[in-house]
Amino acid sequence: MSDAALERIAAALERLRPGPAVAPDFSAANAFVWQADPDSLVPVDRVSRVDVDLLVGIDRSRDTLLENTRRFAEGLPANNALLWGARGMGKSSLVKAVHGKLNASHPQLKIIEIQREDLPSISRCLHLLRGADAQFILFCDDLSFSHDDAHYKSLKAVLDGGIEGRPDNVVLYATSNRRHLMPREMIENERATAITPGEAVEEKVSLSDRFGLWLGFHACDQDQFLTMIRGYCDSYGIAIDDATLRAEAIEWQATRGSRSGRVAWQYFTDLAGRRGVAIQ
């Protein structure tokens, strides 16, 4: 094939390649979703969340994250936060609720969701955010890694170790069911099979150390479970006596085999549907 033909093919491929991502108008929305291939920040018109006052039984975590986020929204130093613990206990709901509460008084505070699968592109996302006239919560839900997963290395450099580092106008909030973002058996396996067990384990768990705030979430008891549902009923104006609520809610959680904030909301959704009350 001639050089001229090769040059024409190269030029055609260059025209087909997507151009660099362009930062959107951040004033057009309060929330965005990062999508890779091609890179883009997609505005979200309506964020799915509940009011922060409806999150019961996590008062300490709520107050800590709210204060950390308030300082960040005001341009003061703030920590990255890892929310870990029992499933369904409001970790992701708290992040979205805190943003919703503070965004009303700090409209420059935005939230951007990034999927775990897109973490290798996180540096390109930060390039668009760096220097923008806004404060960004970069939110990664259900973050965890398996033994052969190298995505955590991309995140480690951004959190603490890269040359550019994390932009001053970006803070990372992540949720996980695991305190060290990987299963215990994986950590134990690293310790048992590595030539230098200590170094192998340290390299794996050092990612979680880069979060300045560790907020733990634990399974709720029955009283907290019922209090959550009562709070939903009061907030949405659904009248139900305590005895009926208790009997129905306990039966509901028994059929699910678990008791959590998520299960409480699912029961309330069923109750609101039976009562003909819209909750959206």
Side-chain angles (χ1 to χ4, degrees), residues 70-100:
R70 178 179 286 109
R71 290 198 299 264
F72 174 69
E74 294 173 354
L76 299 172
N79 274 306
N80 300 309
L82 174 63
L83 292 72
W84 67 274
R87 68 184 189 275
M89 281 307 297
K91 299 183 293 294
S92 60
S93 295
L94 179 59
V95 173
K96 293 183 288 185
V98 163
H99 169 258

Side-chain angles (χ1 to χ4, degrees), residues 196-231:
T196 54
E199 291 181 2
V201 172
E202 284 296 319
E203 201 273 337
K204 293 290 187 182
V205 304
S206 61
L207 173 60
S208 58
D209 290 342
R210 284 169 160 79
F211 290 90
L213 287 181
W214 283 11
L215 303 177
F217 291 71
H218 309 286
C220 63
D221 59 28
Q222 187 166 285
D223 288 341
Q224 289 175 323
F225 179 70
L226 295 173
T227 300
M228 292 174 188
I229 298 172
R230 173 55 68 189

